[in-house]
């Protein structure tokens, strides 16, 4: 490709939007042409994020229909429910769209009503969406025009589960997933419960049994494994800014060994540049500010369970980094361009 | 009791030892007469913990046999393996002993070899120990002379599990326990891995399948329930100073309801002043610096599992607070004296 | 006093209000009868602060005139500008008032306009207010009916400065004060800039040259010393929940010695139960959750300056603890009652 | 330059050493050939820092004389006192040396005895050292063979002070410098006082009047300004991992305006790619993981003082980033190569 890819970022004032800009700013083959946001429109991005001072001082604008006319790609990093309002119109102006939110990840409108608690405004689009998990759907991504970038928790849970589910090494029902997340996953907005004084020196689980990432995990894992996968997912908010730590308990279907599981993972992700199979227990700091998903595991003979552990940076492999990985595949850039 | 109870603290330089002193200092019916520690002997306690300046400036001494002659009670808050060396001799000088460490919690010496990685030096004492969990063993505690104060993780896991195991509401095998702990649980000592720069903005699981609290949990839960309980326990170190958050997944044996589980817990702990059954999801900050164990739960119909959540302050209900609760019971003080 | 003191807390949903309740709950000589707040009215206090579950479950109410009729004392812990609206009316119903906010700390209305950016609604009351710093104004406090509880930063700066200013040991002009504060000082409210993701791993100075505590410091220090004291005060927000660390540079008027300064401080605060003069450098953790102000210092011969350091818990000696200390003095309780 | 620059890192197991490797790994014009460390020798770097898994797995070796034969450049990031033992011998094997520690920053051996508390082992080299602050000594750096990379605190204090001292805008005596630093500045080693439980929710000043960076600041500032500069420097340890926040109070020699000061700074650093003059108050997060030094300021008319504020990432502009900036200048790379 000789021309520079022209892109826009919707939701530029949020953490995922700013992370996209941070990743893309040094690239010479991609240009961020437009930044959109609502509450912050009228300011320049370096006023919102002074780290961009002298680096990128683009204005943040209100989006108006047609404002992206002729651009190649739009990244949408807006709160749940916003992308579905914009995408139908936006598709007539830009070539391709990557939505970092959840508006296009689930297969049907009824799941949105149950888990996102609102109607879907563009259900006719749901059939044509590609789930942007490059390790599993690389071919589809290459030719996709509308990508649903996976959720942060689902990315951390699906990657370690796919190989062992496919191998029928674990029971598909009642997989117990316990995740800990940094607060940047909740976005940049004013709320008492995300204030430092409430989060610091504290831990709290939330949305037990009702988190919108449950149907996302179950849908993708069932599709990939050909079995009816059910998960019990407990997210916890912990006092860190970035990162997700996911610990999974699953019942083994047969005896196995550490070596067999290791070999299984290594084979499954031999061609995945951002998945690292670890022989030691991963830590969040091993992946912060990177696009890696590190996977560790243990065979617990005492209970005949397989314990899986994965770590990602929620803003990178869990959001903006994975979106750029998808962009790279969609436009023929090296998969790792700008991400190492 | 008319006389003031005279006590000693072994391991006074550590966090649990200092916490004991902090709790006991305001009491007029209990006096801390002696503080023992090794590396810090020769200093006064306010030099080690300036918060005690002007409040308590007792000298920290090396222990020598006989130094506790005539005292009523010794608290031992020393690293694993140290109490077992001292207790046999100490029993001839003090009336009663509460060991906050793990040296007397397991029923036989072979478990010590497997999980603590060293021989037990006083195996003959193991048969006469009382496990100091007041909610379950109050009668035995009242007349005990050697108390094994429960571990922090076991306290957080055993309290929510007892009622539902007794009721046969959950399967006793393969209970999945995921805990997050603050760093004070690891004690006060110099190590790179506990340094701020390593712990901050990080999470890491450790000792998967090999933690010494696994046999403690299994022993107590099996004894109490009359079933063979097995647990898969994954402890995580998170960047907080105090507190343990424990999330448990267990398979339901039958259908149940939120109300039934709530009633079960309320009945089970009707007489327990430090167990609070919550209708909302507990947070660590709800119990920090208190002796409470708060328990929450959810029935996950999607996977037919019961999710249990408990929170404690690891230095209070998980160590020093529970030790004082035991002391109160042993000497006829109100159970909550000095702990509210 | 035989009767229980009956009190109300305005602003009970905020951190200082909750801290007052935490301090007063165990007391048998004081009863909190009423809790008032606006946004949270209709809930019980344990819903707002689950740490109060089973301890104190008082309802939080909207204040209406007359609702405090017959109470002895009202604590007001509301945002700046609110107390001045209530106090004139409230004075006819309750015996005494302690305002923890800034509405009555400055001597005249024009300073309010300059530093608080709004008019004063009850300027006629300003002349009759007692500044509630017990170490300096104990006699006035004993008989006061309207107390302006000192600001957190001023408490931390005034206490170390009074003795050396009185002694004419330092120049009264251009005293350089650099303070670091935990976020609870900003109150409990929703704002992006107080969110964990913004505060964690960050430091920022704010309100340079315009902080409303500058005239408070200058007024009190000038009054006490009889000189025209000016300060350059730079507050910094740092990622801790509680505590203020204040570092002061002042020019020495003459040569002195560490011993002389120490003796000066010891003499000045010989009768102050909550001021501790330290020979080592104070840390915030030495005073967290206590009502102490610890003071350290150094004579810097290289620049002929005196360096003063003080630490307080901003919610205790910087707010609720000091308010209770004032209450104790006003009603003849021991000065330290409930605060050790 | 057509050939790849071959380098070694001494002290590769520490934070500054690992940061050097992180910065240099993506570069194709520079190769890190050797990693040296003592306690960690025998392991690969990804065992010490799993973030390097699959990225860089070089062995960490014990240094033996001659092991760097033929290399172009050695970075030394070892504890104080170690570089001076190695440099004399090392100079005969490598072309150039950049010492990130303090062993060559002071002009004479007596200052080492006073402030570093040990003798200097290579005093004959002190006269030939270049102080590696590119904004001030670019020409000398270009041709230097032994660079003393500036200390983290001095970098943060010297950059804002140079322009106003040169302009004679502030008094050179008794400049009051208060700095807050993250813990990574203390290096990666086991110590109780750097443990999470001690650092978290805490602040403490240290080495008041005796910090080894005081003579470094005074020497450089006096040399640059031609006046006898004295500073009173108070470093504080705060609970963050990376970053330094420096707040300076200095007496103005005359009236000035915000605009004049701004213009002065802009002119002084017009050609400095890593110094950003800010109109708003800098925060640490504006520069974390970058090589920038952001400078803000305020004219305090109340006290006739100038308040200066600067922020850097202590491992970047305060250590490894600045070392790479120096390397770039020494070898003709663009000054910003690998640092944007």
């Amino acid at each position: 490709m000789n021309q520079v890819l022209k892109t826009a970022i919707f939701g530029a004032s949020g953490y995922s939007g700013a992370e996209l800009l941070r990743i893309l700013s040094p690239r010479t083959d991609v240009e961020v042409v437009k930044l959109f946001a609502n509450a912050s429109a009228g300011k320049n991005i370096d006023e919102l994020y002074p780290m961009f001072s002298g680096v990128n001082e683009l204005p943040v604008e209100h989006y108006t229909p047609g404002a992206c006319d002729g651009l190649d790609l739009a990244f949408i990093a807006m709160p749940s429910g916003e992308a579905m309002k914009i995408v139908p119109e936006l598709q007539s102006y830009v070539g391709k769209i990557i939505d970092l939110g959840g508006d296009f990840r689930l297969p049907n409108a009824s799941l949105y009503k149950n888990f996102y608690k609102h109607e879907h405004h563009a259900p006719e689009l749901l059939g044509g969406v590609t789930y942007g998990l490059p390790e599993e759907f690389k071919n589809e991504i290459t030719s996709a025009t509308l990508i649903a970038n996976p959720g942060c928790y689902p990315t951390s849970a699906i990657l370690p589960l796919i190989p062992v589910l496919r191998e029928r090494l674990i029971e598909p029902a009642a997989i117990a997933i316990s995740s800990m997340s940094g607060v940047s996953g909740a976005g940049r907005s004013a709320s008492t419960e995300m204030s430092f004084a409430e989060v610091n020196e504290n831990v709290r689980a939330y949305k037990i049994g009702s988190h919108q990432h449950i149907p996302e995990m179950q849908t993708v894992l069932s599709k990939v494994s050909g079995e009816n996968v059910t998960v019990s997912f407990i997210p916890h908010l912990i006092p860190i800014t970035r990162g997700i730590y996911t610990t999974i308990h699953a019942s083994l279907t047969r005896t196995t060994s550490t070596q067999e599981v290791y070999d299984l993972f290594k084979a499954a992700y031999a061609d995945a540049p951002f998945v690292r199979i670890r022989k030691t227990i991963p830590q969040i700091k091993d992946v912060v500010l990177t696009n890696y998903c590190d996977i560790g595991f243990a065979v617990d003979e005492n209970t005949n369970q397989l314990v899986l552990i994965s770590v990602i940076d929620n803003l990178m492999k869990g959001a903006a980094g994975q979106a750029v990985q998808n962009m790279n595949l969609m436009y023929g850039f090296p998969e790792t361009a700008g991400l190492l």
Side-chain angles (χ1 to χ4, degrees), chain A:
Chain A
M1 152 175 267
N2 294 325
Q3 285 179 295
V4 171
L5 187 76
K6 294 196 179 306
T7 69
I9 298 173
F10 288 72
S13 63
Y15 292 128
S16 293
E19 189 78 356
L20 277 168
L21 187 60
R22 191 182 69 82
I23 301 171
L24 295 175
S25 283
R27 290 187 67 162
T28 55
D29 48 1
V30 182
E31 184 185 0
V32 179
V33 178
K34 290 279 189 184
L35 299 178
F36 298 110
N38 290 327
S40 309
K43 295 186 176 174
N44 291 350
I45 191 66
D46 61 307
E47 293 176 84
L48 302 178
Y49 291 92
M51 66 176 172
F52 288 120
S53 300
V55 177
N56 190 318
E57 305 186 347
L58 268 181
V60 177
E61 304 169 56
H62 274 291
Y63 175 68
T64 51
C68 289
D69 196 9
L71 297 192
D72 298 300
L73 173 66
F75 293 100
I76 307 183
M78 298 171 79
S80 168
E82 297 300 312
M84 58 176 71
K85 296 177 190 162
I86 290 175
V87 164
E89 180 267 336
L90 189 60
Q91 285 188 312
S92 60
Y93 292 105
V94 302
K96 304 189 176 197
I97 295 171
I98 298 175
D99 177 28
L100 283 76
D103 281 14
F104 296 97
R105 292 183 197 144
L106 301 183
N108 61 66
S110 66
L111 284 170
Y112 280 91
K113 204 164 175 185
N114 289 343
F115 284 92
Y116 283 87
K117 310 298 177 198
H118 57 64
E119 300 290 332
H120 202 288
H121 296 284
E124 69 283 1
L125 294 182
L126 292 177
V129 178
T130 298
Y131 190 72
L133 187 71
E135 289 73 17
E136 189 59 31
F137 304 107
K138 191 173 293 187
N139 286 341
E140 295 89 326
I141 291 165
T142 306
S143 56
T145 55
L146 175 54
I147 293 270
N149 211 52
C152 51
Y153 288 125
T155 297
S156 78
I158 291 171
L159 286 173
L161 281 169
I162 285 178
V164 290
L165 277 169
R166 271 222 179 97
E167 183 70 15
R168 302 288 188 264
L169 191 61
I170 61 168
E171 298 289 350
I175 298 171
I177 304 173
S178 185
S179 290
M180 292 152 255
S181 176
V183 297
S184 61
R188 192 192 207 194
S189 59
S191 81
T192 299
E193 63 184 11
M194 289 300 166
S195 72
F196 185 88
E198 297 296 313
V199 172
N200 190 39
E201 286 289 291
N202 198 13
V203 173
R204 62 179 172 86
Y206 64 102
K207 287 193 182 178
I208 296 181
S210 65
H211 197 286
Q212 66 275 14
H213 286 169
I214 294 173
E216 183 179 341
M217 293 179 191
Q218 294 188 155
T219 298
V220 177
L221 289 171
S222 296
K223 178 180 173 185
V224 166
S225 71
E227 298 192 290
N228 183 30
V229 177
T230 58
V231 304
S232 178
F233 168 61
I234 316 287
H236 302 77
L237 186 75
I238 63 170
I240 64 174
T241 301
R242 280 170 173 254
I244 287 181
Y245 203 99
T246 291
T247 297
I248 303 172
H249 283 88
S251 297
L252 284 164
T253 55
R254 59 175 170 83
T255 57
T256 184
S257 68
T258 297
Q259 188 63 46
E260 184 195 3
V261 179
Y262 183 77
D263 292 344
L264 176 61
F265 275 117
K266 287 295 279 188
Y269 291 117
D271 298 327
F274 292 117
V275 178
R276 298 190 295 197
I277 311 307
R278 299 277 303 275
K279 291 188 170 174
T280 52
I281 302 176
Q283 306 175 73
I284 280 184
K285 70 182 319 180
D286 301 343
V287 299
V288 164
L289 288 165
T290 79
N291 200 47
Y292 289 110
C293 174
D294 280 14
I295 297 174
F297 65 91
V299 176
D300 185 1
E301 295 175 359
N302 181 43
T303 57
N304 198 36
Q305 288 182 320
L306 181 65
V307 176
L308 299 170
I309 286 176
S310 74
V311 287
I312 60 169
D313 182 321
N314 58 305
L315 293 180
M316 290 293 293
K317 186 62 177 169
Q322 186 142 267
V324 171
Q325 187 182 357
N326 280 315
M327 178 198 76
N328 287 341
L329 294 171
M330 293 162 85
Y331 291 92
F333 300 117
E335 185 172 353
T336 59
L339 293 170
L340 290 181

